[in-house]
Amino acid sequence: MRLLIVLLIGAAFYIVLRLVFLKNWYKGLDVKIDFEHRTIREGEKNTLSEVVRNDKAMPMPVVLVKFAITRTFVFPRESNSSVTDQYYRKEYFSLRPYQRITRKYTFTATRRGEFGISSINLICKDFFLFHNYTGGFDNRLASVLVLPARIRQGEIPQEIIRLNGEIIQRVKLNEDPFAFQSIREYQPFDPMNHINWKASAKTGFLEVNTFHSTNQRNVVLLLNLEGGSVRRGDTIAEASIKIASTLASVFVSEHIPTALCSNGIDKDSKEKISIGAGCDEGHIYSVDVALARIELQEAYASFHELILNKVEEFGENNDYIIISNSLREEIRDTFRHLQEKGVKISFIIPEYHYVNRKDFRENGMDIVKWEIDDEG
């Protein structure tokens, strides 16, 4: 009889605890995942922060938190994570009443774009570890924007440096010697009479004075993301985006108003990328954000028409730089047509270093190959 009473009391206790858990397990339980930096550059490290809070008097013996994020974020290899189409991670927590636990994980962003964690899934076990209870949280505000990597100065081909120097000299042809602008490090295209010997003595490197122009021209970058070479994929498109970011930073650092136009599509608005001319830090950030948000796709708007439209929009008295792996006949015809009209326009062809294409026969200072490796 006593055994029966004990069993009944135990069963009643089990049922009460299970009902209490069933009614209250989700109350006061919160999970948030965020990033230390909301904007970083491709190749940089960032920290993901996972915060689990139990804001109630009832303990939570086992809480399993699961989420997924882009596989382009490279985390240290651990047994509680896996990488397939995405990076999947699961973490176990045991929470006392009114306890908050924070865990942080460092990763490297290996590709530009906007990435986030849209949802978090939960699996909780009751006090007796017999039953599972599932839930989730909306986490759409947790996202990070990865700006395209910049190509280091030492990795820029000499032909491109000379081309940039010609454009900078042409744009600054009418510098006002009385309108001092800034001091920067000497470049091979700088005239010797611009060297600031006092500043050079202080830094140990040649420094030059720069001046405002009395007749400012703009540089307009025209980025084509449609294919053209034998071996395709996203590598050349991504390399082209890095080249556009690098060139924009070069000209903006020279205080030259720079615009960016592309047949690349913004991932949300689905509109073609078009950034007007500007030359301050906020402007180069806007250019990088636009490049980061480009969504690669199979079909793009006709590029030769985009070239003509932008020359008409900005005017012929500017410098235009085409960045395109494709040299289709209508693109080349448009390029030569504009040159014959007297428009200052150059052509940069991103291509694998081992590819020898026949359309490079026209190479000169106005058409330059920018060699890339297989990784971009």
Side-chain angles (χ1 to χ4, degrees):
M1 186 64 180
R2 288 183 180 179
L3 180 59
L4 180 60
I5 293 174
V6 171
L7 291 175
L8 289 174
I9 292 174
F13 183 70
Y14 170 79
I15 293 171
V16 169
L17 286 182
R18 184 178 176 188
L19 290 175
V20 169
F21 193 91
L22 178 62
K23 185 177 180 180
N24 297 284
W25 76 273
Y26 205 62
K27 293 180 180 179
L29 183 62
D30 188 34
V31 180
K32 288 186 178 178
I33 297 177
D34 208 346
F35 301 93
E36 180 179 359
H37 303 291
R38 290 297 184 92
T39 303
I40 61 173
R41 194 167 292 280
E42 184 180 353
E44 293 181 346
K45 293 183 180 298
N46 200 1
T47 300
L48 182 147
S49 177
E50 185 177 14
V51 180
V52 181
R53 187 177 72 241
N54 181 30
D55 194 17
K56 60 178 177 291
M58 186 180 78
M60 300 293 295
V62 178
V63 178
L64 173 61
V65 179
K66 300 195 299 184
F67 66 89
I69 198 168
T70 173
R71 61 182 295 170
T72 63
F73 289 175
V74 178
F75 292 81
R77 287 194 174 275
E78 297 176 346
S79 59
N80 59 345
S81 64
S82 62
V83 180
T84 52
D85 59 322
Q86 288 188 298
Y87 173 83
Y88 295 92
R89 189 179 189 93
K90 57 182 180 181
E91 288 286 340
Y92 286 94
F93 298 83
S94 182
L95 298 163
R96 298 189 302 272
Y98 303 104
Q99 184 183 18
R100 170 177 170 164
I101 298 176
T102 300
R103 294 177 183 173
K104 295 185 177 182
Y105 318 99
T106 300
F107 65 89
T108 302
T110 62
R111 188 164 181 172
R112 56 107 209 154
E114 188 173 26
F115 308 99
I117 300 172
S118 60
S119 62
I120 304 169
N121 297 317
L122 293 180
I123 299 177
C124 299
K125 289 186 176 294
D126 62 14
F127 298 121
F128 303 96
L129 307 182
F130 290 159
H131 300 280
N132 292 335
Y133 300 86
T134 60
F137 294 94
D138 189 349
N139 204 63
R140 297 184 185 279
L141 294 180
S143 64
V144 59
L145 184 66
V146 182
L147 305 179
R150 297 260 177 82
I151 299 169
R152 292 189 291 270
Q153 179 72 21
E155 298 176 354
I156 299 177
Q158 287 299 313
E159 294 83 358
I160 303 296
I161 294 176
R162 288 195 292 270
L163 174 64
N164 292 345
E166 283 195 355
I167 294 173
I168 291 170
Q169 289 293 86
R170 183 162 56 243
V171 170
K172 294 191 170 186
L173 183 62
N174 297 315
E175 284 183 330
D176 185 348
F178 301 103
F180 175 79
Q181 183 166 272
S182 63
I183 299 175
R184 60 162 173 77
E185 189 174 342
Y186 174 82
Q187 299 292 330
F189 50 79
D190 288 319
M192 294 296 291
N193 62 353
H194 282 192
I195 295 177
N196 187 319
W197 297 106
K198 185 178 292 187
S200 300
K202 287 182 179 179
T203 63
F205 300 95
L206 287 179
E207 306 283 343
V208 295
N209 297 325
T210 62
F211 304 90
H212 290 285
S213 174
T214 58
N215 182 24
Q216 189 72 68
R217 296 166 63 96
N218 298 330
V219 171
V220 182
L221 303 176
L222 301 170
L223 173 63
N224 183 21
L225 295 177
E226 64 181 333
S229 69
V230 175
R231 179 180 172 184
R232 284 302 301 162
D234 293 345
T235 305
I236 286 183
E238 294 294 342
S240 300
I241 290 172
K242 292 177 186 177
I243 289 170
S245 174
T246 301
L247 292 180
S249 68
V250 167
F251 294 119
V252 169
S253 69
E254 294 290 336
H255 304 282
I256 297 174
T258 305
L260 169 71
C261 304
S262 175
N263 54 1
I265 304 299
D266 183 272
K267 66 185 293 289
D268 289 335
S269 69
K270 306 304 179 184
E271 298 290 333
K272 292 191 292 292
I273 301 300
S274 182
I275 305 293
C279 58
D280 56 20
E281 289 186 7
H283 179 71
I284 191 61
Y285 177 75
S286 298
V287 169
D288 277 335
V289 169
L291 290 171
R293 291 177 53 81
I294 289 178
E295 183 176 53
L296 298 183
Q297 56 185 38
E298 293 183 3
Y300 294 94
S302 176
F303 187 65
H304 73 281
E305 293 181 0
L306 182 143
I307 297 172
L308 293 172
N309 291 338
K310 293 306 174 181
V311 171
E312 182 178 356
E313 176 184 340
F314 287 98
E316 297 182 1
N317 191 33
N318 290 297
D319 272 83
Y320 294 86
I321 301 177
I322 295 173
I323 305 169
S324 174
N325 176 262
S326 172
L327 269 177
R328 289 188 293 104
E329 184 177 356
E330 53 266 39
I331 296 177
R332 281 192 287 182
D333 289 346
T334 300
F335 174 66
R336 291 306 183 196
H337 167 70
L338 292 173
Q339 280 193 323
E340 291 169 1
K341 288 184 64 177
V343 177
K344 296 298 183 181
I345 185 167
S346 308
F347 206 126
I348 293 176
I349 308 169
E351 185 56 278
Y352 296 111
H353 60 88
Y354 52 79
V355 174
N356 183 19
R357 287 168 52 182
K358 292 181 179 180
D359 34 23
F360 290 154
R361 289 177 304 186
E362 298 180 287
N363 276 11
M365 283 308 298
D366 55 348
I367 301 181
V368 181
K369 176 184 177 182
W370 190 317
E371 292 187 351
I372 62 174
D373 56 30
D374 289 344
E375 287 74 37

